[in-house]
Amino acid sequence: MKGNKNIDALKAALPAHVTLIAVSKTQPANRILEVYSQGHHQFGENKAQELTRKYNELPKDIEWHMIGHLQTNKVKYIAPFVHLIHSVDSLKLLQEINKQAERHNRVIPVLLQVHIASEETKFGFSEAEVEELIRNPELETLKHVRIKGLMGMATFTSDEEKIRREFKTLKSLFEKLKPISKPGRVEMHELSMGMSNDYPIAIEEGSTMIRIGSAIFGERKV
Ligand SMILES: *Cc1c(COP(=O)(O)O)cnc(C)c1O
């Protein structure tokens, strides 16, 4: 096996408090196995069906992260095994995750996705909506999900100051929400921000999880 040079270099440069999620969407199993065999076991996918197929094909000690928009009718496929869902963007989705987690007798950790970019197309709650959700008494009844933090994507731009401002916005919301944590229900520990083009800025601004695809696997063909 040739080995993946990027993963070792990335991990060597990462602060200890930052978790690297290798985003393997569109990558075939052999390229994932290459990275896996170098000791990296956390992977992220953005489509429920692709994630499920790869879970079935690949070693069972991989921690699978769902990072893309998740439709409620797809939750059932990933509920048995998913390690962390980064992309919860509605109460309805949270309710469905709770329901499917209960069927599998487990608690699924999730992050709430916050819309911080100026681009219209990206999914996520507004800052006010996240705060409202965390204060919602209904959360007490959702015993099979645990909110572990926030996720956000900055605008895709070369304007580094804009990216930094957006990450700062997410970090300050994260800090604001920490004190209203509810033990066992809402525990603000993880801040998932940073991709191949902006992760150094994200880390400077307080990220605890970066989601890296092309900087590990090279440019995606699609
Ligand atoms: C594809 C994707 C990534 C990784 O993107 P790269 O630019 O290849 O690092 C990160 N987060 C989400 C939500 C993605 O869909």
Side-chain angles (χ1 to χ4, degrees), residues 21 23 25 45-46 67-69 86-87 113 151-153 156 192 194-199 210-216 218-220:
I21 314 298
V23 176
K25 61 189 184 194
E45 290 281 336
N46 69 338
I67 61 170
H69 179 65
H86 293 228
S87 43
Q113 183 173 352
M151 184 271 248
M153 275 185 273
F156 188 75
S192 171
M195 304 174 34
S196 293
N197 67 311
D198 58 19
Y199 74 87
I210 56 172
R211 309 176 311 272
I212 306 294
S214 47
I216 295 172
E219 290 300 322
R220 280 180 297 277

Side-chain angles (χ1 to χ4, degrees), residues 8-21:
D8 291 339
L10 257 168
K11 286 181 91 156
L14 225 54
H17 68 278
V18 180
T19 303
L20 171 66
I21 314 298

